[in-house]
Short mmCIF file of all heavy atoms in Angstrom, two decimals:
data_model
loop_
_atom_site.label_atom_id
_atom_site.label_comp_id
_atom_site.label_asym_id
_atom_site.label_seq_id
_atom_site.Cartn_x
_atom_site.Cartn_y
_atom_site.Cartn_z
N GLN A 460 91.22 85.69 83.30
CA GLN A 460 92.39 86.35 82.73
C GLN A 460 93.66 85.91 83.50
O GLN A 460 94.49 86.74 83.83
CB GLN A 460 92.22 87.86 82.84
CG GLN A 460 90.93 88.35 82.17
CD GLN A 460 90.88 89.86 81.99
OE1 GLN A 460 91.17 90.37 80.89
NE2 GLN A 460 90.53 90.58 83.03
N ALA A 461 93.79 84.61 83.75
CA ALA A 461 94.95 84.06 84.43
C ALA A 461 95.00 84.55 85.90
O ALA A 461 96.10 84.73 86.45
CB ALA A 461 96.25 84.39 83.71
N THR A 462 93.84 84.78 86.49
CA THR A 462 93.72 85.04 87.92
C THR A 462 92.26 84.79 88.29
O THR A 462 91.37 85.29 87.57
CB THR A 462 94.13 86.48 88.25
OG1 THR A 462 93.72 86.81 89.62
CG2 THR A 462 93.47 87.51 87.35
N LYS A 464 89.44 85.95 90.09
CA LYS A 464 89.28 87.34 90.47
C LYS A 464 89.30 87.55 91.98
O LYS A 464 88.58 86.90 92.72
CB LYS A 464 87.98 87.92 89.89
CG LYS A 464 88.08 88.14 88.37
CD LYS A 464 86.92 88.97 87.84
CE LYS A 464 86.90 88.93 86.32
NZ LYS A 464 88.10 89.46 85.66
N THR A 465 90.17 88.44 92.42
CA THR A 465 90.39 88.93 93.78
C THR A 465 91.25 88.03 94.66
O THR A 465 91.77 88.50 95.69
CB THR A 465 89.08 89.24 94.61
OG1 THR A 465 88.58 88.04 95.16
CG2 THR A 465 88.05 89.93 93.75
N VAL A 466 91.45 86.75 94.30
CA VAL A 466 92.15 85.86 95.23
C VAL A 466 93.53 85.41 94.70
O VAL A 466 93.81 85.46 93.51
CB VAL A 466 91.29 84.64 95.61
CG1 VAL A 466 89.97 85.11 96.21
CG2 VAL A 466 91.09 83.69 94.46
N SER A 467 94.35 84.93 95.63
CA SER A 467 95.71 84.49 95.31
C SER A 467 95.78 83.01 95.10
O SER A 467 94.89 82.25 95.58
CB SER A 467 96.66 84.88 96.43
OG SER A 467 96.45 84.05 97.56
N PRO A 468 96.81 82.52 94.42
CA PRO A 468 97.00 81.05 94.31
C PRO A 468 97.03 80.39 95.68
O PRO A 468 96.46 79.30 95.85
CB PRO A 468 98.33 80.94 93.59
CG PRO A 468 98.44 82.19 92.78
CD PRO A 468 97.80 83.25 93.63
N ASP A 469 97.69 80.98 96.64
CA ASP A 469 97.73 80.42 97.99
C ASP A 469 96.34 80.22 98.56
O ASP A 469 96.04 79.22 99.22
CB ASP A 469 98.52 81.33 98.95
CG ASP A 469 100.00 81.29 98.68
OD1 ASP A 469 100.46 80.35 98.02
OD2 ASP A 469 100.70 82.22 99.11
N GLU A 470 95.52 81.23 98.37
CA GLU A 470 94.16 81.14 98.90
C GLU A 470 93.36 80.04 98.21
O GLU A 470 92.53 79.38 98.82
CB GLU A 470 93.46 82.52 98.76
CG GLU A 470 94.03 83.51 99.78
CD GLU A 470 93.65 84.96 99.48
OE1 GLU A 470 93.41 85.33 98.31
OE2 GLU A 470 93.65 85.75 100.40
N ARG A 489 94.95 89.09 75.18
CA ARG A 489 95.80 89.83 76.16
C ARG A 489 96.18 88.91 77.27
O ARG A 489 95.27 88.41 77.94
CB ARG A 489 95.04 91.03 76.69
CG ARG A 489 95.86 91.93 77.63
CD ARG A 489 95.12 93.21 78.04
NE ARG A 489 93.85 92.89 78.68
CZ ARG A 489 92.87 93.77 78.89
NH1 ARG A 489 93.00 94.99 78.46
NH2 ARG A 489 91.78 93.43 79.50
N PRO A 490 97.41 88.60 77.52
CA PRO A 490 98.61 89.25 76.97
C PRO A 490 99.09 88.61 75.67
O PRO A 490 100.08 89.06 75.12
CB PRO A 490 99.65 88.99 78.07
CG PRO A 490 99.27 87.67 78.63
CD PRO A 490 97.76 87.63 78.58
N LEU A 494 103.48 85.43 74.63
CA LEU A 494 104.05 85.95 75.85
C LEU A 494 103.93 84.93 77.00
O LEU A 494 104.86 84.72 77.78
CB LEU A 494 103.42 87.27 76.26
CG LEU A 494 104.06 87.92 77.50
CD1 LEU A 494 105.48 88.35 77.20
CD2 LEU A 494 103.24 89.10 77.95
N GLU A 497 106.44 82.35 76.47
CA GLU A 497 107.76 82.89 76.84
C GLU A 497 107.95 82.88 78.35
O GLU A 497 109.05 82.67 78.87
CB GLU A 497 107.89 84.30 76.28
CG GLU A 497 109.29 84.90 76.35
CD GLU A 497 109.31 86.36 75.96
OE1 GLU A 497 108.35 86.83 75.30
OE2 GLU A 497 110.29 87.05 76.33
N ALA A 498 106.85 83.11 79.05
CA ALA A 498 106.90 83.10 80.54
C ALA A 498 107.02 81.71 81.09
O ALA A 498 107.19 81.53 82.33
CB ALA A 498 105.66 83.80 81.10
N PHE A 504 103.38 81.53 84.54
CA PHE A 504 102.95 82.91 84.35
C PHE A 504 102.12 83.41 85.55
O PHE A 504 102.37 84.47 86.09
CB PHE A 504 102.10 82.99 83.08
CG PHE A 504 101.57 84.36 82.74
CD1 PHE A 504 102.43 85.40 82.46
CD2 PHE A 504 100.18 84.59 82.67
CE1 PHE A 504 101.94 86.68 82.14
CE2 PHE A 504 99.69 85.87 82.36
CZ PHE A 504 100.58 86.88 82.08
N MET A 505 101.17 82.58 85.98
CA MET A 505 100.30 83.00 87.08
C MET A 505 100.65 82.40 88.41
O MET A 505 99.96 82.66 89.41
CB MET A 505 98.84 82.72 86.74
CG MET A 505 98.49 81.23 86.69
SD MET A 505 96.71 80.97 86.30
CE MET A 505 95.92 81.55 87.79
N ASN A 506 101.74 81.63 88.45
CA ASN A 506 102.21 81.09 89.74
C ASN A 506 101.26 80.08 90.35
O ASN A 506 100.95 80.15 91.55
CB ASN A 506 102.41 82.27 90.70
CG ASN A 506 103.72 82.17 91.43
OD1 ASN A 506 104.24 81.09 91.61
ND2 ASN A 506 104.23 83.27 91.90
N THR A 716 72.85 94.63 109.38
CA THR A 716 73.50 95.76 110.04
C THR A 716 74.07 95.39 111.40
O THR A 716 75.21 95.67 111.73
CB THR A 716 72.57 96.96 110.19
OG1 THR A 716 71.99 97.23 108.90
CG2 THR A 716 73.30 98.18 110.71
N HIS A 717 73.25 94.71 112.20
CA HIS A 717 73.68 94.35 113.56
C HIS A 717 73.85 92.85 113.72
O HIS A 717 73.67 92.30 114.78
CB HIS A 717 72.64 94.85 114.59
CG HIS A 717 72.41 96.32 114.55
ND1 HIS A 717 73.17 97.22 115.30
CD2 HIS A 717 71.55 97.09 113.82
CE1 HIS A 717 72.76 98.45 115.05
NE2 HIS A 717 71.79 98.40 114.16
N PHE A 719 76.10 89.91 114.02
CA PHE A 719 77.50 89.65 114.32
C PHE A 719 77.89 88.20 114.14
O PHE A 719 78.93 87.76 114.62
CB PHE A 719 77.84 90.15 115.74
CG PHE A 719 77.62 91.65 115.87
CD1 PHE A 719 76.51 92.17 116.57
CD2 PHE A 719 78.50 92.55 115.28
CE1 PHE A 719 76.31 93.53 116.65
CE2 PHE A 719 78.31 93.89 115.36
CZ PHE A 719 77.20 94.42 116.06
N TYR A 729 88.06 80.89 104.92
CA TYR A 729 88.90 81.90 105.54
C TYR A 729 88.11 82.95 106.27
O TYR A 729 88.43 83.35 107.41
CB TYR A 729 89.78 82.54 104.45
CG TYR A 729 90.64 83.67 105.00
CD1 TYR A 729 91.84 83.40 105.63
CD2 TYR A 729 90.20 85.01 104.93
CE1 TYR A 729 92.62 84.41 106.15
CE2 TYR A 729 90.96 86.01 105.48
CZ TYR A 729 92.16 85.74 106.08
OH TYR A 729 92.92 86.73 106.63
N ASN A 733 87.92 82.90 110.54
CA ASN A 733 88.60 84.02 111.18
C ASN A 733 87.66 85.01 111.83
O ASN A 733 88.08 86.09 112.31
CB ASN A 733 89.54 84.73 110.19
CG ASN A 733 90.79 83.90 109.93
OD1 ASN A 733 91.59 83.70 110.86
ND2 ASN A 733 90.94 83.38 108.73
N PHE A 735 85.21 87.00 110.61
CA PHE A 735 84.71 88.23 109.97
C PHE A 735 83.17 88.18 109.99
O PHE A 735 82.58 87.24 109.46
CB PHE A 735 85.27 88.36 108.55
CG PHE A 735 86.72 88.64 108.51
CD1 PHE A 735 87.64 87.59 108.32
CD2 PHE A 735 87.22 89.91 108.70
CE1 PHE A 735 89.01 87.84 108.30
CE2 PHE A 735 88.59 90.17 108.70
CZ PHE A 735 89.50 89.12 108.48
N TYR A 739 80.49 93.41 109.50
CA TYR A 739 81.69 94.00 108.93
C TYR A 739 81.71 93.84 107.38
O TYR A 739 82.04 94.76 106.66
CB TYR A 739 82.93 93.31 109.53
CG TYR A 739 84.26 93.84 108.99
CD1 TYR A 739 84.60 95.18 109.11
CD2 TYR A 739 85.17 92.97 108.37
CE1 TYR A 739 85.81 95.64 108.61
CE2 TYR A 739 86.38 93.43 107.88
CZ TYR A 739 86.70 94.78 108.00
OH TYR A 739 87.88 95.26 107.52
N HIS A 742 79.47 96.26 105.85
CA HIS A 742 80.11 97.58 105.80
C HIS A 742 81.09 97.65 104.62
O HIS A 742 81.07 98.64 103.87
CB HIS A 742 80.86 97.83 107.12
CG HIS A 742 81.90 98.91 107.05
ND1 HIS A 742 81.56 100.24 106.85
CD2 HIS A 742 83.25 98.85 107.07
CE1 HIS A 742 82.69 100.95 106.80
NE2 HIS A 742 83.71 100.14 106.92
N LEU A 743 81.93 96.62 104.46
CA LEU A 743 82.91 96.66 103.37
C LEU A 743 82.22 96.74 102.01
O LEU A 743 82.66 97.45 101.10
CB LEU A 743 83.81 95.39 103.44
CG LEU A 743 84.73 95.27 104.64
CD1 LEU A 743 85.48 93.94 104.59
CD2 LEU A 743 85.71 96.42 104.71
N ARG A 745 79.18 97.87 101.30
CA ARG A 745 78.56 99.20 101.10
C ARG A 745 79.62 100.27 100.81
O ARG A 745 79.36 101.19 100.05
CB ARG A 745 77.76 99.58 102.35
CG ARG A 745 76.48 98.80 102.54
CD ARG A 745 75.82 99.19 103.85
NE ARG A 745 75.15 100.47 103.74
CZ ARG A 745 75.16 101.42 104.68
NH1 ARG A 745 75.85 101.21 105.80
NH2 ARG A 745 74.52 102.55 104.53
N ALA A 746 80.78 100.10 101.44
CA ALA A 746 81.81 101.13 101.27
C ALA A 746 82.63 100.87 99.99
O ALA A 746 83.56 101.61 99.70
CB ALA A 746 82.74 101.10 102.50
N GLU A 748 84.65 98.39 99.34
CA GLU A 748 86.01 97.97 99.66
C GLU A 748 86.31 96.58 99.08
O GLU A 748 85.53 95.64 99.27
CB GLU A 748 86.20 97.93 101.18
CG GLU A 748 86.34 99.34 101.79
CD GLU A 748 87.67 99.99 101.49
OE1 GLU A 748 88.57 99.33 100.91
OE2 GLU A 748 87.86 101.16 101.87
N ILE A 749 87.43 96.48 98.43
CA ILE A 749 87.85 95.23 97.75
C ILE A 749 87.95 94.06 98.73
O ILE A 749 87.63 92.91 98.38
CB ILE A 749 89.21 95.48 97.04
CG1 ILE A 749 88.96 96.24 95.75
CG2 ILE A 749 89.94 94.16 96.76
CD1 ILE A 749 90.21 96.70 95.04
N PHE A 750 88.34 94.31 99.96
CA PHE A 750 88.50 93.22 100.90
C PHE A 750 87.16 92.48 101.16
O PHE A 750 87.17 91.29 101.39
CB PHE A 750 89.14 93.72 102.20
CG PHE A 750 89.48 92.61 103.16
CD1 PHE A 750 90.26 91.52 102.70
CD2 PHE A 750 89.08 92.63 104.49
CE1 PHE A 750 90.60 90.50 103.58
CE2 PHE A 750 89.43 91.61 105.35
CZ PHE A 750 90.20 90.53 104.91
N ARG A 753 86.81 90.07 98.36
CA ARG A 753 87.73 88.94 98.60
C ARG A 753 87.12 87.97 99.58
O ARG A 753 87.13 86.76 99.34
CB ARG A 753 89.04 89.48 99.25
CG ARG A 753 90.09 89.91 98.26
CD ARG A 753 91.34 90.37 99.05
NE ARG A 753 92.04 89.23 99.67
CZ ARG A 753 93.09 89.33 100.45
NH1 ARG A 753 93.62 90.55 100.68
NH2 ARG A 753 93.67 88.29 100.95
N GLN B 1418 88.59 103.03 105.77
CA GLN B 1418 87.23 102.60 106.15
C GLN B 1418 87.29 101.27 106.92
O GLN B 1418 86.53 100.37 106.66
CB GLN B 1418 86.39 102.46 104.89
CG GLN B 1418 86.36 103.71 104.04
CD GLN B 1418 85.31 103.69 102.96
OE1 GLN B 1418 84.24 104.21 103.12
NE2 GLN B 1418 85.58 103.04 101.82
N ALA B 1419 88.25 101.18 107.87
CA ALA B 1419 88.39 99.96 108.67
C ALA B 1419 88.83 98.78 107.83
O ALA B 1419 88.48 97.62 108.09
CB ALA B 1419 87.11 99.62 109.44
N THR B 1420 89.63 99.07 106.80
CA THR B 1420 90.33 98.04 106.01
C THR B 1420 91.41 98.73 105.24
O THR B 1420 91.17 99.81 104.63
CB THR B 1420 89.34 97.31 105.05
OG1 THR B 1420 90.10 96.54 104.10
CG2 THR B 1420 88.50 98.30 104.26
N LYS B 1422 93.12 99.09 102.19
CA LYS B 1422 92.52 98.72 100.88
C LYS B 1422 93.22 97.53 100.22
O LYS B 1422 94.43 97.54 100.03
CB LYS B 1422 92.50 99.92 99.93
CG LYS B 1422 91.43 100.93 100.36
CD LYS B 1422 91.18 101.99 99.28
CE LYS B 1422 90.40 103.18 99.86
NZ LYS B 1422 89.07 102.83 100.36
N THR B 1423 92.44 96.54 99.89
CA THR B 1423 92.77 95.32 99.15
C THR B 1423 93.41 94.20 100.00
O THR B 1423 93.43 93.07 99.57
CB THR B 1423 93.68 95.52 97.92
OG1 THR B 1423 95.06 95.60 98.30
CG2 THR B 1423 93.31 96.74 97.09
N VAL B 1424 93.94 94.52 101.19
CA VAL B 1424 94.69 93.49 101.91
C VAL B 1424 93.99 93.06 103.21
O VAL B 1424 93.13 93.75 103.74
CB VAL B 1424 96.14 93.92 102.20
CG1 VAL B 1424 96.86 94.30 100.94
CG2 VAL B 1424 96.18 95.04 103.21
N SER B 1425 94.41 91.88 103.70
CA SER B 1425 93.79 91.30 104.89
C SER B 1425 94.65 91.60 106.12
O SER B 1425 95.84 91.93 106.01
CB SER B 1425 93.70 89.78 104.73
OG SER B 1425 94.99 89.19 104.82
N ASP B 1427 95.85 89.46 108.14
CA ASP B 1427 96.94 88.50 108.13
C ASP B 1427 98.09 89.02 107.27
O ASP B 1427 99.26 88.84 107.61
CB ASP B 1427 96.48 87.16 107.52
CG ASP B 1427 95.60 86.40 108.47
OD1 ASP B 1427 95.62 86.70 109.70
OD2 ASP B 1427 94.88 85.49 108.02
N GLU B 1428 97.74 89.57 106.14
CA GLU B 1428 98.79 90.05 105.24
C GLU B 1428 99.53 91.24 105.87
O GLU B 1428 100.73 91.39 105.66
CB GLU B 1428 98.18 90.43 103.87
CG GLU B 1428 97.79 89.18 103.08
CD GLU B 1428 96.88 89.45 101.89
OE1 GLU B 1428 96.12 90.44 101.94
OE2 GLU B 1428 96.91 88.66 100.95
N ARG B 1447 79.92 106.23 108.22
CA ARG B 1447 79.56 104.86 107.82
C ARG B 1447 80.59 103.90 108.31
O ARG B 1447 81.73 104.04 107.90
CB ARG B 1447 79.43 104.78 106.27
CG ARG B 1447 78.96 103.44 105.74
CD ARG B 1447 78.73 103.47 104.24
NE ARG B 1447 79.95 103.79 103.52
CZ ARG B 1447 80.00 104.19 102.28
NH1 ARG B 1447 78.89 104.31 101.57
NH2 ARG B 1447 81.16 104.46 101.67
N PRO B 1448 80.31 102.92 109.13
CA PRO B 1448 78.93 102.49 109.53
C PRO B 1448 78.37 103.22 110.74
O PRO B 1448 77.28 102.92 111.15
CB PRO B 1448 79.20 101.03 109.89
CG PRO B 1448 80.57 101.01 110.47
CD PRO B 1448 81.34 102.05 109.69
N LEU B 1452 77.64 101.56 115.95
CA LEU B 1452 77.69 100.18 115.45
C LEU B 1452 79.08 99.57 115.73
O LEU B 1452 79.16 98.40 116.13
CB LEU B 1452 77.40 100.14 113.96
CG LEU B 1452 77.35 98.72 113.39
CD1 LEU B 1452 76.18 97.91 113.99
CD2 LEU B 1452 77.23 98.73 111.87
N GLU B 1455 79.17 98.66 119.26
CA GLU B 1455 78.34 97.47 119.47
C GLU B 1455 79.10 96.21 119.03
O GLU B 1455 78.97 95.14 119.63
CB GLU B 1455 77.05 97.60 118.68
CG GLU B 1455 75.99 96.56 119.01
CD GLU B 1455 74.79 96.66 118.04
OE1 GLU B 1455 74.63 97.71 117.38
OE2 GLU B 1455 74.05 95.65 117.93
N ALA B 1456 79.94 96.35 118.00
CA ALA B 1456 80.72 95.21 117.49
C ALA B 1456 81.91 94.92 118.43
O ALA B 1456 82.61 93.93 118.19
CB ALA B 1456 81.24 95.55 116.09
N PHE B 1462 85.79 94.71 115.27
CA PHE B 1462 85.01 94.96 114.06
C PHE B 1462 85.77 94.54 112.81
O PHE B 1462 85.26 93.83 111.95
CB PHE B 1462 84.66 96.45 114.00
CG PHE B 1462 83.85 96.88 112.78
CD1 PHE B 1462 82.59 96.36 112.58
CD2 PHE B 1462 84.37 97.80 111.88
CE1 PHE B 1462 81.85 96.76 111.46
CE2 PHE B 1462 83.62 98.20 110.78
CZ PHE B 1462 82.36 97.69 110.58
N MET B 1463 87.06 94.92 112.73
CA MET B 1463 87.84 94.65 111.52
C MET B 1463 88.79 93.48 111.71
O MET B 1463 89.51 93.16 110.76
CB MET B 1463 88.57 95.88 111.05
CG MET B 1463 89.68 96.35 111.97
SD MET B 1463 90.52 97.84 111.31
CE MET B 1463 91.40 97.16 109.90
N ASN B 1464 88.77 92.85 112.89
CA ASN B 1464 89.58 91.68 113.09
C ASN B 1464 91.08 91.96 113.06
O ASN B 1464 91.86 91.25 112.44
CB ASN B 1464 89.25 90.67 111.96
CG ASN B 1464 89.06 89.27 112.51
OD1 ASN B 1464 89.63 88.96 113.55
ND2 ASN B 1464 88.35 88.45 111.79
N THR B 1674 106.78 94.39 79.45
CA THR B 1674 106.06 93.29 78.78
C THR B 1674 106.79 91.97 78.89
O THR B 1674 106.19 90.94 79.18
CB THR B 1674 105.88 93.65 77.26
OG1 THR B 1674 105.28 94.96 77.21
CG2 THR B 1674 104.98 92.63 76.59
N HIS B 1675 108.09 91.99 78.63
CA HIS B 1675 108.88 90.75 78.62
C HIS B 1675 109.85 90.73 79.82
O HIS B 1675 110.91 90.13 79.74
CB HIS B 1675 109.65 90.60 77.33
CG HIS B 1675 108.78 90.57 76.11
ND1 HIS B 1675 108.25 89.41 75.63
CD2 HIS B 1675 108.32 91.58 75.31
CE1 HIS B 1675 107.49 89.70 74.56
NE2 HIS B 1675 107.55 91.00 74.34
N PHE B 1677 110.78 89.40 83.16
CA PHE B 1677 110.41 88.30 84.02
C PHE B 1677 111.06 88.38 85.41
O PHE B 1677 111.07 87.41 86.15
CB PHE B 1677 110.72 86.95 83.33
CG PHE B 1677 109.93 86.80 82.04
CD1 PHE B 1677 110.55 86.91 80.81
CD2 PHE B 1677 108.56 86.58 82.09
CE1 PHE B 1677 109.81 86.79 79.62
CE2 PHE B 1677 107.81 86.45 80.93
CZ PHE B 1677 108.43 86.58 79.68
N TYR B 1687 105.47 89.56 99.87
CA TYR B 1687 104.70 88.42 99.39
C TYR B 1687 104.85 88.25 97.86
O TYR B 1687 105.09 87.16 97.35
CB TYR B 1687 103.21 88.56 99.75
CG TYR B 1687 102.37 87.46 99.18
CD1 TYR B 1687 102.27 86.24 99.82
CD2 TYR B 1687 101.67 87.62 97.99
CE1 TYR B 1687 101.53 85.21 99.32
CE2 TYR B 1687 100.93 86.61 97.45
CZ TYR B 1687 100.83 85.40 98.11
OH TYR B 1687 100.12 84.37 97.59
N ASN B 1691 107.39 85.20 96.27
CA ASN B 1691 106.66 84.13 95.58
C ASN B 1691 106.84 84.16 94.06
O ASN B 1691 106.21 83.38 93.36
CB ASN B 1691 105.17 84.18 95.92
CG ASN B 1691 104.92 83.65 97.34
OD1 ASN B 1691 105.14 82.47 97.60
ND2 ASN B 1691 104.49 84.51 98.23
N GLY B 1692 107.68 85.02 93.60
CA GLY B 1692 108.06 85.00 92.20
C GLY B 1692 107.08 85.57 91.21
O GLY B 1692 107.14 85.25 90.00
N PHE B 1693 106.14 86.39 91.65
CA PHE B 1693 105.24 87.04 90.70
C PHE B 1693 106.04 88.05 89.87
O PHE B 1693 106.68 88.94 90.42
CB PHE B 1693 104.05 87.72 91.41
CG PHE B 1693 103.10 86.75 92.06
CD1 PHE B 1693 103.21 86.43 93.40
CD2 PHE B 1693 102.13 86.14 91.30
CE1 PHE B 1693 102.35 85.51 93.98
CE2 PHE B 1693 101.25 85.22 91.89
CZ PHE B 1693 101.37 84.90 93.23
N TYR B 1697 103.72 89.44 84.60
CA TYR B 1697 102.39 89.02 85.08
C TYR B 1697 101.65 90.17 85.73
O TYR B 1697 100.47 90.39 85.46
CB TYR B 1697 102.54 87.87 86.05
CG TYR B 1697 101.24 87.33 86.60
CD1 TYR B 1697 100.24 86.84 85.75
CD2 TYR B 1697 100.98 87.32 87.96
CE1 TYR B 1697 99.05 86.36 86.26
CE2 TYR B 1697 99.80 86.82 88.48
CZ TYR B 1697 98.83 86.36 87.60
OH TYR B 1697 97.64 85.84 88.12
N HIS B 1700 100.35 92.48 83.23
CA HIS B 1700 99.14 91.90 82.62
C HIS B 1700 97.92 92.16 83.54
O HIS B 1700 96.86 92.59 83.06
CB HIS B 1700 99.34 90.41 82.39
CG HIS B 1700 98.04 89.67 82.20
ND1 HIS B 1700 97.27 89.84 81.06
CD2 HIS B 1700 97.40 88.78 82.99
CE1 HIS B 1700 96.15 89.07 81.18
NE2 HIS B 1700 96.24 88.41 82.31
N LEU B 1701 98.05 91.88 84.82
CA LEU B 1701 96.93 92.04 85.76
C LEU B 1701 96.47 93.49 85.81
O LEU B 1701 95.26 93.76 85.80
CB LEU B 1701 97.35 91.55 87.16
CG LEU B 1701 97.63 90.08 87.35
CD1 LEU B 1701 98.07 89.83 88.77
CD2 LEU B 1701 96.38 89.23 86.99
N ARG B 1703 96.89 95.86 83.52
CA ARG B 1703 96.24 96.23 82.24
C ARG B 1703 94.87 95.63 82.13
O ARG B 1703 93.94 96.20 81.54
CB ARG B 1703 97.10 95.76 81.05
CG ARG B 1703 98.33 96.57 80.87
CD ARG B 1703 99.17 95.99 79.71
NE ARG B 1703 98.63 96.34 78.41
CZ ARG B 1703 98.57 95.50 77.38
NH1 ARG B 1703 98.97 94.24 77.51
NH2 ARG B 1703 98.09 95.89 76.22
N ALA B 1704 94.70 94.40 82.66
CA ALA B 1704 93.41 93.72 82.55
C ALA B 1704 92.44 94.18 83.64
O ALA B 1704 91.30 93.70 83.70
CB ALA B 1704 93.63 92.20 82.64
N GLU B 1706 92.65 93.66 86.87
CA GLU B 1706 92.41 92.60 87.82
C GLU B 1706 92.86 93.02 89.24
O GLU B 1706 93.99 93.50 89.47
CB GLU B 1706 93.19 91.34 87.42
CG GLU B 1706 92.54 90.61 86.22
CD GLU B 1706 91.27 89.88 86.58
OE1 GLU B 1706 90.91 89.83 87.80
OE2 GLU B 1706 90.60 89.35 85.67
N ILE B 1707 91.99 92.80 90.20
CA ILE B 1707 92.20 93.18 91.58
C ILE B 1707 93.46 92.56 92.16
O ILE B 1707 94.16 93.19 92.96
CB ILE B 1707 90.97 92.81 92.42
CG1 ILE B 1707 89.85 93.82 92.16
CG2 ILE B 1707 91.28 92.72 93.90
CD1 ILE B 1707 88.50 93.46 92.78
N PHE B 1708 93.78 91.33 91.76
CA PHE B 1708 94.92 90.66 92.34
C PHE B 1708 96.22 91.44 92.06
O PHE B 1708 97.13 91.44 92.88
CB PHE B 1708 95.02 89.20 91.84
CG PHE B 1708 96.08 88.42 92.54
CD1 PHE B 1708 96.18 88.40 93.94
CD2 PHE B 1708 97.03 87.69 91.83
CE1 PHE B 1708 97.14 87.69 94.61
CE2 PHE B 1708 97.99 86.94 92.46
CZ PHE B 1708 98.06 86.96 93.85
N ARG B 1711 96.44 94.07 94.64
CA ARG B 1711 96.81 93.46 95.91
C ARG B 1711 98.32 93.25 95.96
O ARG B 1711 98.96 93.57 96.96
CB ARG B 1711 96.18 92.07 96.02
CG ARG B 1711 94.82 92.04 96.64
CD ARG B 1711 94.32 90.59 96.71
NE ARG B 1711 95.04 89.80 97.71
CZ ARG B 1711 94.84 88.52 97.95
NH1 ARG B 1711 93.95 87.86 97.23
NH2 ARG B 1711 95.50 87.88 98.88
#
Side-chain angles (χ1 to χ4, degrees):
Chain A
Q460 305 192 99
T462 168
K464 288 191 192 300
T465 82
V466 304
S467 72
D469 287 342
E470 287 165 333
R489 184 174 58 195
L494 183 66
E497 190 187 341
F504 179 63
M505 68 179 290
N506 225 335
T716 308
H717 301 272
F719 299 106
Y729 176 83
N733 284 296
F735 291 97
Y739 180 58
H742 162 68
L743 293 177
R745 288 177 76 221
E748 286 286 354
I749 283 173
F750 188 50
R753 273 182 70 183
Chain B
Q1418 306 192 97
T1420 167
K1422 287 192 194 298
T1423 83
V1424 304
S1425 72
D1427 286 342
E1428 287 165 332
R1447 183 174 62 196
L1452 184 66
E1455 190 188 341
F1462 180 62
M1463 68 179 289
N1464 225 335
T1674 308
H1675 301 271
F1677 299 107
Y1687 176 82
N1691 284 295
F1693 291 97
Y1697 180 58
H1700 162 69
L1701 293 178
R1703 287 177 77 221
E1706 286 287 355
I1707 283 172
F1708 188 49
R1711 271 182 71 184

